[in-house]
Amino acid sequence: MAKRKVLVVGGTGYIGKRIVKASLAQEDHITTYVLQRREMGSDIDKVQLLFSFKKQGARLIEASFSDHNSLVDAVKQVDVVICTMSGSHSGSHESLLQLKLVEAIKEAGNIKRFIPSEFGTDPSRMGHALEPGRVTFDDKMVVRRAIEDAKIPFTYVTANCFAGYFAANLSQMETLLPPKEKVTIYGDGNVKVIYVDEDDVALYTIKTIDDPRTLNKTLHIRPPENILSQRELVEKWEKLLGKELEKISISQEDFLASMKGLDGFGQTVVGHLYHFFYEGCLTNFQIGEEGEEASELYPDVKYIRMDEYLKLYL
């Protein structure tokens, strides 16, 4: 079988750099391309990261979202496009830039699979989400509709809670490090959520690009041993730490009331945490015929368990 040509858009971002790394690791089967956006020329960290990928064997393709023809030319060189641009958490609507990419893919007509930038909560289940955080999900659904209207082959990847943002800090706000004395518990702390190591997200994403079982479906990343309540996550940390933390529960009413006085981003964070830890939106449904579960499809992946993940923070 000929090597698959994969273009990563947003390859210097938080999840994008991991997907580039996972793609490069499959060099026997994949030729990795990374979009070099002309607009990023003044960001030294991103420029140096981009050229570090080139040293590792990635091919850089220069294009701009303000130049349709350059995007079409870029897309014509590959078989698969994976977009990892940042979302709309701050109300920037940056994820809607993907509509320009959709138009380019539609015109090029050669793409075998498009994976748009999602990697979080399934937006098709979040039509009821609280404002202002709802824009994140609404924008992703706009992109989904454009993809499907254009009849572009796709896979949507929902990765639930990134461990770096939700597990390392025991799901606390305003810190990315685990507390060592006291911890805030959302409600009774027993609602199940799903924590996933970001490198595992990238690996599952790369595995799906050629899999007919995930064509025009949603890949749900739900590693069974990482489906945990907040209290179960805290217990894992306490066992590693060798001490019990003071636990302060916050009711649903008080938590929602805490949105007052916050800026738009802060309100978005509170709203999303409400849906995860009080409503249980990540685990309160069964995967239907429109989806597949990653750890079932790829049992060979030895995904990172959260007690193993938390050892790093001791």
Side-chain angles (χ1 to χ4, degrees):
M1 183 181 293
K3 277 190 176 185
R4 190 58 94 195
K5 298 176 181 178
V6 176
L7 173 64
V8 182
V9 180
T12 60
Y14 183 70
I15 197 68
K17 62 189 177 186
R18 291 170 169 85
I19 289 179
V20 172
K21 177 183 174 183
S23 183
L24 286 168
Q26 301 294 319
E27 61 181 349
D28 291 342
H29 312 290
I30 296 173
T31 302
T32 304
Y33 295 74
V34 183
L35 193 73
Q36 178 182 342
R37 292 174 64 182
R38 296 167 191 163
E39 299 88 343
M40 67 176 288
S42 60
D43 188 323
I44 185 63
D45 290 330
K46 289 186 176 182
V47 168
Q48 291 190 342
L49 180 57
L50 197 64
F51 283 88
S52 75
F53 293 148
K54 186 176 180 179
K55 286 182 181 178
Q56 297 169 61
R59 302 183 185 184
L60 306 184
I61 301 179
E62 186 174 332
S64 172
F65 276 82
S66 60
D67 181 348
H68 173 72
N69 290 334
S70 73
L71 285 179
V72 174
D73 290 343
V75 166
K76 283 183 176 179
Q77 297 180 53
V78 299
D79 310 302
V80 175
V81 177
I82 303 174
C83 187
T84 62
M85 297 171 64
S86 61
S88 304
H89 306 291
S90 61
S92 66
H93 299 277
E94 185 174 344
S95 64
L96 291 181
L97 277 176
Q98 292 181 97
L99 295 175
K100 295 179 180 291
L101 192 55
V102 170
E103 286 300 312
I105 292 171
K106 180 180 178 181
E107 181 173 330
N110 62 298
I111 293 302
K112 305 292 192 298
R113 188 86 58 116
F114 178 41
I115 300 177
S117 187
E118 294 205 1
F119 306 105
T121 311
D122 186 345
S124 69
R125 301 180 182 276
M126 299 305 294
H128 65 290
L130 297 173
E131 299 284 5
R134 178 173 168 170
V135 66
T136 304
F137 310 114
D138 288 347
D139 284 356
K140 288 178 179 178
M141 288 306 297
V142 169
V143 175
R144 281 193 180 192
R145 286 191 290 269
I147 292 167
E148 293 170 25
D149 288 347
K151 295 182 169 49
I152 295 169
F154 66 84
T155 298
Y156 305 136
V157 177
T158 65
N160 300 293
C161 291
F162 288 158
Y165 279 98
F166 292 94
N169 58 0
L170 307 185
S171 305
Q172 305 300 285
M173 294 178 64
E174 300 178 353
T175 181
L176 295 175
L177 296 171
K180 295 184 177 180
E181 300 298 333
K182 59 184 179 181
V183 60
T184 298
I185 299 294
Y186 303 118
D188 62 13
N190 293 322
V191 172
K192 296 285 188 178
V193 297
I194 306 166
Y195 302 97
V196 187
D197 177 85
E198 290 86 337
D199 289 334
D200 289 340
V201 173
L203 181 54
Y204 283 127
T205 299
I206 289 299
K207 279 186 166 290
T208 198
I209 62 171
D210 251 343
D211 192 339
R213 297 172 297 178
T214 60
L215 182 61
N216 297 333
K217 288 189 174 185
T218 298
L219 181 74
H220 297 269
I221 304 179
R222 285 182 160 191
E225 291 190 41
N226 289 355
I227 302 176
L228 304 166
S229 69
Q230 188 191 11
R231 283 191 180 274
E232 288 172 330
L233 182 69
V234 171
E235 287 170 7
K236 289 180 181 297
W237 175 240
E238 288 177 327
K239 186 175 180 180
L240 290 169
L241 199 59
K243 63 181 287 189
E244 191 169 327
L245 302 184
E246 178 188 353
K247 299 173 183 67
I248 304 168
S249 295
I250 181 169
S251 69
Q252 173 179 309
E253 293 75 21
D254 288 344
F255 187 67
L256 288 175
S258 72
M259 292 177 72
K260 295 177 182 177
L262 296 177
D263 60 16
F265 178 75
Q267 291 181 10
T268 293
V269 171
V270 170
H272 288 185
L273 288 174
Y274 163 74
H275 293 302
F276 299 165
F277 292 98
Y278 292 92
E279 185 182 79
C281 72
L282 303 179
T283 56
N284 64 2
F285 65 93
Q286 298 295 318
I287 298 172
E289 293 182 357
E290 81 293 339
E292 299 287 348
E293 200 286 305
S295 64
E296 291 182 1
L297 291 184
Y298 314 114
D300 56 306
V301 173
K302 295 179 173 59
Y303 64 85
I304 301 297
R305 277 67 171 172
M306 287 303 102
D307 48 359
E308 180 183 351
Y309 185 88
L310 285 169
K311 286 180 182 178
L312 177 65
Y313 294 88
L314 288 173

